[in-house]
Amino acid sequence: MDILFIEDDLIEGMKFNRVIDGLEYNYKVIEATNGEEALQVLRQNETLPNIILLDLNMPKLNGIDFLRILKEDDVLRQIPTIVFTTSNNRKDILECYKIGIAGYIIKPLKYEDYKEIVKRTLDYWSVNELV
């Protein structure tokens, strides 16, 4: 399964990759540090990722603006997009679901909890029928 991981925090990226490396499945992670970079990745690659994990608070093009652009594209809108963020702002949650996300996950602070939530999320999307 190919994952587009959109995150501007270097430490979060390292933590995510550490979790992925410890899992028994063969995941390919494509990284982008903001929405603009992610759109370039999506438009330049011949194959699209199976899922997108998206942070909301990023420079240049934030997560919500990225989602709006993504969901306007007839091809890219089909990619399940899961918001993976520290924001528990109810307004953000409602806006993201209104735009059309597949899920909203608040990043746990403790590493063991983080590892478990990433594993469960990827386990689910690994068995879900993807486009």
Side-chain angles (χ1 to χ4, degrees), residues 15 84-85 105-111 113-115 117:
K15 183 166 54 171
F84 193 56
T85 186
I105 299 171
I106 297 171
K107 295 177 199 171
L109 295 176
K110 291 174 51 180
Y111 179 75
D113 296 338
Y114 181 95
K115 183 174 151 182
I117 204 80

Side-chain angles (χ1 to χ4, degrees), residues 7-81:
E7 170 65 63
D8 67 315
D9 186 306
L10 181 63
I11 301 297
E12 285 293 321
M14 290 169 46
K15 183 166 54 171
F16 183 78
N17 281 305
R18 180 176 169 200
V19 169
I20 294 296
D21 290 344
L23 296 176
E24 60 195 62
Y25 303 109
N26 186 21
Y27 296 114
K28 177 183 174 192
V29 178
I30 306 152
E31 295 184 65
T33 58
N34 61 61
E36 280 184 5
E37 187 178 316
L39 287 171
Q40 288 176 344
V41 166
L42 289 168
R43 291 177 177 150
Q44 290 174 354
N45 286 343
E46 288 182 18
T47 58
L48 295 174
N50 299 105
I51 64 168
I52 297 172
L53 292 177
L54 171 68
D55 186 29
L56 288 186
N57 303 312
M58 298 179 294
K60 295 188 182 181
L61 185 64
N62 70 38
I64 290 176
D65 291 337
F66 169 82
L67 279 171
R68 287 188 180 114
I69 294 168
L70 184 79
K71 295 303 179 181
E72 289 175 359
D73 185 289
D74 288 337
V75 174
L76 301 179
R77 74 179 330 142
Q78 305 300 321
I79 305 168
T81 303

